[in-house]
Amino acid sequence: QVQLVESGGGLVQPGGSLRLSCAASGSIFSIYAMAWYRQAPGKQRDMVAVIASGDTNYADSVKGRFTISRDNAKNTVYLQMNSLKPEDTAVYYCSADVTPHGDYAGDYWGQGTQVTVSS
């Protein structure tokens, strides 16, 4: 069984920074892509950033402000968020394309962590 656990959310003032972490654990053979999504109240869940094989891709709304990185040895993905805006307020979810030992690859999700940007 594979689990993803996010941490690092919280309340921050506009212009501030937060760093989210997401650690994958369990019977993992390999992980291809890891990504961050977010969902604001009443809105759909949207991709924020993705990293795979060293390549990264970002939503236009966060380019230049957010940075995704990963530590393959720890099966962990990070999201450094700078110059935060009130519109960044959302529940942030991590996702990973995981191949468990003895099983097929699949997409796994964390439980989400709340990020609130407000003065």
Side-chain angles (χ1 to χ4, degrees), residues 55-107:
D55 293 327
T56 58
N57 192 31
Y58 297 91
D60 287 342
S61 60
V62 306
K63 282 181 180 177
R65 300 188 297 122
F66 291 10
T67 302
I68 189 170
S69 62
R70 65 191 281 183
D71 184 333
N72 292 327
K74 296 181 179 179
N75 289 332
T76 298
V77 64
Y78 305 95
L79 186 68
Q80 177 66 44
M81 304 185 293
N82 299 328
S83 302
L84 282 161
K85 305 175 181 180
E87 51 263 42
D88 295 318
T89 295
V91 177
Y92 284 69
Y93 299 89
C94 75
S95 173
D97 181 5
V98 179
T99 301
H101 284 286
D103 204 347
Y104 295 103
D107 290 332

Side-chain angles (χ1 to χ4, degrees), residues 4 9 12-13 15 20 22 27 29 31 40 42 45 50 52 58-59 69 73 76 88 91 95-96 112 115 118:
L4 273 62
V12 63
Q13 292 186 342
L20 305 182
C22 173
S27 183
F29 176 71
I31 301 177
R45 188 175 298 186
V50 61
Y58 297 91
S69 62
T76 298
D88 295 318
V91 177
S95 173
V115 171
S118 176

